[in-house]
Amino acid sequence: MTAVLEISGLRKTYRGRKGVRKALDGFDMVVEAGQVHGFLGPNGSGKTTTLRTLLGLIKPNDGRMAILGEEVPRRLPQVAGRVGAIVESPQFFGNFTAETTLSLLADAGGVNPRRVPAVLELVGLRDRAKDRVKTYSLGMKQRLAVASALLKEPKLLILDEPANGLDPGGIREMRTLMGDLAGSGMTVLLSSHILGEIQLICDSVTIISAGRRVAAGSVADVLAGHTSSAVRVRLEPGVDLLGAAEMLRAAGAVITIERDHFTVGNASNPAQITKLLAERQIYVSELTPVSADLEDVFLELTGTAPVDGASRQVDQVGTQGGWGQ
Amino acid sequence: MSLYTAETRRLSKRRFTRFFVLIALIVLGLLAGGTAYTHEKTTARTRAAAEAAADRAYQEQLGYAEQARQDCRKDPTSYGGNCDGISPPTRDQISAEQFLTPPFDFRADFPALVIAWAALLALVAFIIGASFVGAEWNSGGMMNLLLWRPQRLRVLSTKLSALLTWLAGLGVLSGAAWTGLFWLIATLRGSTAGMTPGAWQSLGLTGLRGLGLVLMAGAIGFGAASIGRHTAAALGVAIGVIVIFQFGLAIVLELARVRFYEAYLLPAWIGAWMVKSYDVVDYRAPCVYSATNSCEPPVLTITWQMAGGLFAAVSIIIVGVAMWTIRKRDIT
Ligand SMILES: Nc1ncnc2c1ncn2[C@@H]1O[C@H](COP(=O)(O)OP(=O)(O)OP(=O)(O)O)[C@@H](O)[C@H]1O
Ligand SMILES: [Mg+2]
């Protein structure tokens, strides 16, 4: 497989009134051709900054980037025609209709204007195409943005939170659309906070935290690398659940008691549980590993799981007293 | 080329553009209408009526004078004790011309109207130029466009050339219509006499300088709004220049007794550009002796070349800074 998108050692610092802020701190990313690649990270971790830099809107301080084998930003004008992008809910000039907006873009980019009605149809805006963009709802603007990215039939489609504001039906349509696009050979880079969605449609993911890559690879690999060591334990009916849990806790297990079962959070060796219980004549009726989903992995890697009684601040990463690291 | 077409389309599709062009046309129309209304061809009949009116006025004046003389004789003190000073105007002091609606003299009157046309259009060009790029920056449309054409200088200069071409078109069309309209007014309600080739040439050059003013105003508005990334930036700069520079500076310079202080103010330069030269007179300075006139205040003459050079320099600097900033800045 060939890489459609390569980033290495990308650095960007914003200079503000209160000194400098490292938005990207040596970030790396690789996206293979034909894949749907998820780009995940907490608020303020640098996703949008990465995409803006990639598309030449921001000048990086350091690092190398290539799109479709071409060095960017130097060769960006040559590849721009093959890259469709939306960056962070793009704004449009409110007094133009969707049709005018797209046809002006098509003109500017030298795209066949006959694609305009086609993409409007595709994103479901056909009947509202002659309304001014100002009158659109959030989701309709988002659909228009997706339409604008699809207008030039790109090889690489970059979507920054495209599901933002879409209704459930719209999200599902977006999922199907992306599947179809990837099927037709397009590579899609998708940033999103809806992890269930990412897990459903992405072949691979990159997780960014505080401007650095913390995980990358196929969804299965990322999940496998972080299977939780938690197991769910269910005992035979009538057995003293609390007593058994207490006994295990005394042996060092981290126990969470539920109504009819408990989970052991740190069961690196589940056999130990059965052994300890069997010594007291307690027999387990169920012992299942609790599989981690993308959300768990994400929260663990980025250290952004909520902590009871504390409001987590943006830019606060796990090492500063969060959970899991 | 495709970008250029898109930008021209964008400019003419904007409601803001249409609205301000419409406003300008309405104002010009009112000006033309007013001119037509207040001028009239002189015919034998209107002249006779004016003569009669002048006669009536003369008789009235005689009556007033007679009345005053009688009052004076009764009570000379209220007239300063001397009744000989009271005398009616002579008949030739009240001419028929004063009672005649003047005819519109194309050769004499039209040049001032060309200046009015240029000034109004320049104002509109400034606002349209500023809003054209300002609204794009402000709405995020510029960012979108740069995703399609990631050549910033190219995008901005194409936008500017689309704007200037469009303004030039507007200027030529409206200028031609303006000339035609007043030619018609002169034909119907005045005279077109004296329009020699030389007069036409001079008029044409005034028109061209007016067009230049319009284009420079458009470019300055465009540049300022692009630097500030907002239409309001350009309008703010314009208002700032007028308030601080013109009113404020005028007062300060006057108080500081700076020589030729008018030369620091915009109207002198616009005047010089449009009517070829403008004399700034320094009345406070010791006068200069010359052979013909005994004592004249010193005069500084601003030529149209000087004014044109200044305006061109300002436009080039502002557009240059706009180009420079778009090349460097992060677009977020
Ligand atoms: N124009 C700017 N000036 C200064 N700092 C900025 C600017 N844009 C972004 N940042 C900072 O850079 C960091 C990364 O921001 P970025 O927008 O890339 O986050 P993100 O991953 O897209 O977040 P989200 O999920 O909320 O969209 C943040 O700390 C942000 O405050
Ligand atoms: Mg973002």
Side-chain angles (χ1 to χ4, degrees):
Chain A
M1 266 197 283
T2 51
V4 162
L5 177 69
E6 282 169 288
I7 297 177
S8 66
L10 193 61
R11 263 172 231 287
K12 173 70 190 178
T13 45
Y14 286 111
R15 262 158 235 291
R17 252 163 264 148
K18 293 198 191 150
V20 294
R21 167 177 296 284
K22 277 190 188 164
L24 292 173
D25 190 10
F27 178 70
D28 306 304
M29 174 149 89
V30 179
V31 177
E32 307 285 351
Q35 293 203 324
V36 180
H37 190 96
F39 189 17
L40 317 178
N43 292 142
S45 55
K47 299 181 297 296
T48 303
T49 303
T50 304
L51 301 183
R52 283 211 175 102
T53 315
L54 198 59
L55 296 163
L57 296 176
I58 287 179
K59 289 227 157 55
N61 298 89
D62 194 14
R64 288 188 52 253
M65 297 175 289
I67 296 178
L68 298 161
E70 306 262 20
E71 191 91 2
V72 292
R74 196 169 55 80
R75 305 263 307 153
L76 196 59
Q78 282 77 15
V79 288
R82 285 173 281 161
V83 182
I86 63 173
V87 180
E88 204 154 80
S89 40
Q91 305 287 309
F92 297 99
F93 182 65
N95 277 324
F96 282 166
T97 66
E99 206 170 38
T100 307
T101 305
L102 292 187
S103 95
L104 285 173
L105 281 178
D107 251 11
V111 169
N112 187 347
R114 243 169 295 156
R115 285 218 23 96
V116 172
V119 290
L120 283 171
E121 168 83 46
L122 195 61
V123 299
L125 284 177
R126 183 190 54 210
D127 298 337
R128 299 292 298 269
K130 290 199 163 40
D131 285 5
R132 280 189 288 147
V133 174
K134 199 155 74 172
T135 67
Y136 278 14
S137 72
L138 173 63
M140 287 159 69
K141 283 187 194 136
Q142 198 67 32
R143 285 163 188 259
L144 177 59
V146 174
S148 80
L150 289 174
L151 198 55
K152 44 188 165 179
E153 298 182 276
K155 290 262 171 300
L156 171 63
L157 184 63
I158 296 177
L159 302 173
D160 193 6
E161 301 189 34
N164 183 17
L166 290 192
D167 52 20
I171 292 180
R172 183 177 283 191
E173 281 168 29
M174 183 77 77
R175 189 195 306 156
T176 342
L177 179 64
M178 258 160 240
D180 294 348
L181 293 174
S184 72
M186 197 182 289
T187 310
V188 183
L189 174 60
L190 177 70
S191 111
S192 178
H193 292 299
I194 310 174
L195 297 181
E197 199 58 28
I198 294 281
Q199 201 169 354
L200 276 176
I201 57 178
C202 288
D203 306 302
S204 53
V205 292
T206 296
I207 301 182
I208 182 176
S209 176
R212 287 202 201 88
R213 178 168 74 179
V214 292
S218 73
V219 175
D221 286 350
V222 171
L223 289 180
H226 294 272
T227 41
S228 75
S229 49
V231 291
R232 182 164 53 235
V233 182
R234 206 184 293 275
L235 303 178
E236 282 177 320
V239 178
D240 176 17
L241 195 71
L242 291 179
E246 214 39 62
M247 191 268 297
L248 285 174
R249 198 172 272 154
V254 177
I255 307 280
T256 322
I257 298 179
E258 309 285 344
R259 199 173 52 79
D260 60 345
H261 68 276
F262 58 84
T263 43
V264 181
N266 55 347
S268 44
N269 181 11
Q272 190 69 17
I273 297 173
T274 50
K275 182 162 171 282
L276 283 170
L277 291 177
E279 280 168 3
R280 302 285 175 96
Q281 312 291 312
I282 303 171
Y283 300 104
V284 297
S285 65
E286 182 194 334
L287 186 73
T288 34
V290 179
S291 65
D293 62 8
L294 202 51
E295 184 170 294
D296 300 323
V297 175
F298 178 88
L299 293 177
E300 185 190 329
L301 283 171
T302 60
T304 52
V307 185
D308 280 346
S311 0
R312 188 180 58 83
Q313 305 301 306
V314 291
D315 294 341
Q316 179 179 328
V317 287
T319 46
Q320 300 167 351
W323 174 92
Q325 291 200 347
Chain B
M1 202 58 205
S2 54
L3 186 58
Y4 180 82
T5 338
E7 290 312 317
T8 309
R9 267 182 67 207
R10 188 195 310 279
L11 180 60
S12 39
K13 265 185 182 290
R14 298 204 47 206
R15 292 197 307 171
F16 193 91
T17 311
R18 293 176 181 181
F19 179 72
F20 272 89
V21 169
L22 187 68
I23 296 259
L25 293 183
I26 288 174
V27 172
L28 289 177
L30 288 177
L31 194 52
T35 311
Y37 184 73
T38 53
H39 291 82
E40 195 177 47
K41 238 189 179 97
T42 311
T43 60
R45 207 164 59 82
T46 57
R47 181 160 286 280
E51 294 285 2
D55 258 344
R56 269 199 305 283
Y58 177 62
Q59 296 304 333
E60 237 165 61
Q61 290 300 325
L62 285 183
Y64 292 147
E66 186 53 38
Q67 182 69 40
R69 221 175 275 136
Q70 278 171 16
D71 291 350
C72 181
R73 247 176 262 132
K74 275 184 218 144
D75 178 18
T77 48
S78 63
Y79 284 81
N82 181 9
C83 299
D84 298 342
I86 300 171
S87 58
T90 58
R91 177 62 183 84
D92 56 335
Q93 273 175 329
I94 300 176
S95 74
E97 254 72 53
Q98 291 165 15
F99 298 91
L100 209 54
T101 310
F104 183 77
D105 181 352
F106 191 84
R107 178 173 180 162
D109 299 338
F110 187 57
L113 289 160
V114 173
I115 294 175
W117 159 84
L120 181 69
L121 227 57
L123 186 66
V124 168
F126 182 88
I127 295 172
I128 289 179
S131 137
F132 179 47
V133 71
E136 283 285 287
W137 274 119
N138 193 27
S139 70
M142 191 65 146
M143 193 185 94
N144 255 327
L145 189 58
L146 287 174
L147 289 181
W148 281 70
R149 298 297 290 251
Q151 299 134 300
R152 301 186 182 185
L153 285 184
R154 175 104 183 266
V155 166
L156 197 66
S157 46
T158 309
K159 262 187 192 298
L160 179 60
S161 46
L163 172 74
L164 293 184
T165 315
W166 190 89
L167 285 176
L170 178 71
V172 168
L173 285 183
S174 65
W178 193 236
T179 313
L181 195 57
F182 280 96
W183 185 262
L184 190 70
I185 290 173
T187 318
L188 296 178
R189 305 183 76 91
S191 99
T192 56
M195 286 311 290
T196 56
W200 275 117
Q201 188 188 0
S202 155
L203 195 60
L205 288 176
T206 307
L208 275 185
R209 286 198 305 275
L211 192 60
L213 189 69
V214 171
L215 295 184
M216 288 186 285
I220 291 173
F222 180 93
S226 183
I227 293 169
R229 295 211 254 181
H230 207 295
T231 312
L235 302 186
V237 166
I239 291 169
V241 164
I242 290 167
V243 171
I244 296 173
F245 244 97
Q246 302 306 311
F247 297 134
L249 197 64
I251 293 168
V252 170
L253 292 175
E254 173 118 57
L255 289 179
R257 305 188 155 269
V258 174
R259 296 201 60 191
F260 300 115
Y261 80 88
E262 234 192 310
Y264 294 91
L265 305 180
L266 208 49
W269 293 85
I270 293 179
W273 173 246
M274 287 310 296
V275 297
K276 292 213 283 224
S277 79
Y278 185 92
D279 287 343
V280 183
V281 185
D282 191 1
Y283 291 105
R284 274 197 306 257
C287 57
V288 180
Y289 287 94
S290 68
T292 47
N293 291 36
S294 55
C295 179
E296 295 241 292
V299 169
L300 178 79
T301 304
I302 304 174
T303 62
W304 67 269
Q305 289 96 332
M306 287 158 73
L310 178 78
F311 292 149
V314 170
S315 324
I316 288 169
I317 288 172
I318 290 186
V319 169
V321 171
M323 295 285 173
W324 176 255
T325 49
I326 196 181
R327 214 172 63 87
K328 304 285 281 179
R329 70 169 40 134
D330 283 349
I331 297 165
T332 54

